[in-house]
Amino acid sequence: MMAYWVLFFGIAVVSWVVQMNLQNKFKKYSKIPTGNGMTGRDVALKMLHDNGIYDVQVTHTPGQLTDHYNPTNKTVNLSEGVYESNSIMAAAVAAHECGHAVQHARMYAPLKMRSALVPVVNFASSIMTWVLLGGILMVNTFPQLLLAGIILFAMTTLFSFITLPVEINASRRALVWLSSSGITNSYNHAQAEDALRSAAYTYVVAALSSLATLVYYIMIFMGRRD
């Protein structure tokens, strides 16, 4: 059990470091213009149109690092610091989110799988905490409740790991397009790549943290007194 807590604490520290690193990179690269004057919105529209996608809207959403693609209503939602910014960070983030739109249009299998899991994960997340809490309290009298909680949590962990190839592929598509379209050049392409790599690390850490927590609940279940 001690080894687990060391691992869990280590992941928590790494998660904090990765988040701080991403925020620092966001601030740093948000001050560096791409040189062509194109805003995040402009970049998003160009990437969509270059890929033959005209049924996806580009809009803005409040907050920082809240950028996302919504496959349900086909919208690329860019945060306030990306939508109107002409920085290398804005271009990288906008292209990444459009990478998801391209995945959707090309019926990229991992994205389809993740989208199919969304309703299940939403349901699991809505009751999981209470089921796990009740299961831990009654682990020796009603272990089936904790087992149900573990199954629910396993669905969220699976979702985290399926998210990894989806995010990595979207970044790869974004970087290839940024270079081929001339949005980035030999001077700033490495900065766009660094920004997206830092963002990808957050998903890796989140998946590992979810897996570590799942193992913890399994250990409680396996160690119950019959």
Side-chain angles (χ1 to χ4, degrees), residues 1 3-12 153 157 160-161 204-220:
M1 185 65 73
Y4 168 80
W5 284 112
V6 171
L7 175 63
F8 191 82
F9 179 75
I11 291 177
F153 196 91
T157 301
S160 295
F161 276 91
V204 174
V205 173
L208 292 177
S209 177
S210 182
L211 179 61
T213 305
L214 176 63
V215 170
Y216 172 69
Y217 289 130
I218 292 175
M219 289 171 61
I220 294 177

Side-chain angles (χ1 to χ4, degrees), residues 2 11 25 62 67 73 86 102 108 156 161 179 194 200 225:
M2 179 61 68
I11 291 177
K25 292 289 176 65
D67 312 86
N73 59 11
N86 64 350
V102 175
Y108 181 60
T156 64
F161 276 91
S179 179
D194 185 37
R225 296 188 301 273

Side-chain angles (χ1 to χ4, degrees), residues 140-158:
N140 294 314
T141 57
F142 187 35
Q144 293 84 357
L145 184 60
L146 179 56
L147 180 59
I150 289 173
I151 293 173
L152 292 172
F153 196 91
M155 296 304 298
T156 64
T157 301
L158 175 63

Side-chain angles (χ1 to χ4, degrees), residues 126-169:
S126 67
I127 65 172
M128 182 175 63
T129 300
W130 297 108
V131 174
L132 286 169
L133 179 60
I136 292 174
L137 293 174
M138 297 186 290
V139 64
N140 294 314
T141 57
F142 187 35
Q144 293 84 357
L145 184 60
L146 179 56
L147 180 59
I150 289 173
I151 293 173
L152 292 172
F153 196 91
M155 296 304 298
T156 64
T157 301
L158 175 63
F159 185 82
S160 295
F161 276 91
I162 291 177
T163 293
L164 293 180
V166 174
E167 296 299 330
I168 292 172
N169 179 265

Side-chain angles (χ1 to χ4, degrees), residues 15-90:
S15 177
W16 181 81
V17 171
V18 167
Q19 287 290 344
M20 290 300 101
N21 179 62
L22 178 59
Q23 291 185 21
N24 289 335
K25 292 289 176 65
F26 188 92
K27 292 178 181 178
K28 177 182 178 180
Y29 295 141
S30 291
K31 298 177 182 178
I32 303 175
T34 56
N36 55 23
M38 295 180 67
T39 64
R41 177 182 180 275
D42 297 332
V43 171
L45 287 173
K46 179 171 173 55
M47 182 170 175
L48 291 172
H49 295 169
D50 284 357
N51 282 275
I53 300 173
Y54 294 91
D55 60 345
V56 172
Q57 291 185 321
V58 179
T59 184
H60 59 85
T61 185
Q64 186 182 49
L65 299 176
T66 52
D67 312 86
H68 65 281
Y69 170 67
N70 188 333
T72 303
N73 59 11
K74 290 189 175 183
T75 57
V76 170
N77 303 272
L78 303 179
S79 61
E80 296 169 347
V82 171
Y83 187 81
E84 297 181 349
S85 171
N86 64 350
S87 67
I88 190 65
M89 187 69 183

